[in-house]
Amino acid sequence: MTDQKQLADWICLDAEFAEGVEMLELAVMSGDGRMIYTQRFRPATLRRWRSYPHGITPEMVENEPLFAECRQEIQSIIDAASHVIGFAVAENDLRKLRQEGIHTDESLGIVEIRDWFWLTHGLENGLDYRQNVGLNTCCRELGIDIDESKEHSAAYDTECTLRAFTGLLQRYADKRGMANASIEEIERRFAEEFAVEKDRYDRANGAGYCCIIRHGDGLYQMKFTKEPPAYHPDIIASVAVANRKKAMVRFSQMLTGKILYGNFRFERLSKRRLEEFKAYTDSYEADDEQFNSKLLRLAGKFR
C-alpha cells in the first residue's frame, strides 16, 4: 500500500473533554494527511473542570462556540467518511460524539489502532492485548518521535495517531507481501487475521480454574485463577473451565443466590452442590463472554 491517496475518504480524529463528559476540542484529519477540522468548544453546562491532561481552561474557551453550533459541519464530515481511525475510537470518541447529537451510520468502518498495533507489532513482541497501550507507547514502540509538550492537543494527537496508523498499515502490508495491494484488500486480510488471533487470545485468557477452599471461620471461598491452583490442604475441590466469567456467574448464583464478581465467600456447601461443582463443564463462546462480562460489570457496581 504505497499510495496514501487511497485513504482520502478515511478520517482520523481525536477529542478532548471536560471531566470526560462535555467536548472541549475536536480535530479531524483526512487519511491522506490533510487537517480538515479543528475547533475548541465552550461547554454547555460545565463552568469549571480539571485541565489535566489537555491543559484547556475555562478562560481559554469562554469565547468559543458551543458544540451544538458546529454540529451540522461536523456531521457533514462524518457523513462523508468511509472509515474513522483512532484509539478506543468507538467506545470513547464516537460514543461521546453521538451523545452530542452526531449520527454515525452502521456502514462507517472503525479502525482501532490498538488492534492494528497488537496484531502487527505487539503479538510478536510479547505485548498483551489488554495491556494499557496508548498513543505514546504505540509511537515509542514504532520509533515515532513524540513532542511531549504538545501531547493531548487534539490536533497533535490526531496527527500522531494517523502517523502511527500509516506506519502500521505499511508494516502489515510489507510483512504479508501486500505492498502493492489496495487498501480494501489489506483491510479485508487484516480483519480476517485479527479475528482468528483475537479469538485464540480470548479463549486462552478466558480459560482457567475454579476451586472451593475451606476457611477456619466456618466459611468457604470460591476462587478463580488462570493458572492451576497450587496444592493446599484446605482446597476441597477444583475444576478446569473454558470460561472463568461464565463460571463466576454460574457458581455465585448457585452458592449465594446472586451474581458476584471475582472471588467470593459463602456459608453452606451441601453434598449435592459439591457434586454439581465437580461435574461442571462449559465451553467458550464469544457471545457468552460478552454477555457474562456485562453481567459481572453490573454486579461489581452494586457489590
Side-chain angles (χ1 to χ4, degrees), residues 101-119:
I102 295 296
H103 170 74
T104 56
D105 194 84
E106 289 183 2
S107 63
L108 181 65
I110 305 299
V111 181
E112 177 50 66
I113 296 291
R114 289 184 304 187
D115 296 348
W116 282 80
F117 176 78
W118 180 68
L119 185 62

Side-chain angles (χ1 to χ4, degrees), residues 41-110:
F41 309 100
R42 183 176 80 254
T45 58
L46 292 175
R47 295 294 175 263
R48 287 286 177 266
W49 56 84
R50 290 168 294 180
S51 60
Y52 180 83
H54 45 68
I56 301 173
T57 65
E59 293 73 25
M60 293 167 69
V61 294
E62 61 183 354
N63 295 317
E64 299 293 350
L66 296 170
F67 184 91
E69 298 173 57
C70 306
R71 186 182 294 125
Q72 186 173 351
E73 182 180 4
I74 296 167
Q75 185 67 67
S76 66
I77 293 171
I78 299 295
D79 289 344
S82 66
H83 294 72
V84 60
I85 306 163
F87 265 98
V89 67
E91 63 195 60
N92 187 38
D93 300 294
L94 288 181
R95 179 176 63 83
K96 290 177 179 176
L97 279 169
R98 285 192 289 269
Q99 291 173 350
E100 296 277 6
I102 295 296
H103 170 74
T104 56
D105 194 84
E106 289 183 2
S107 63
L108 181 65
I110 305 299

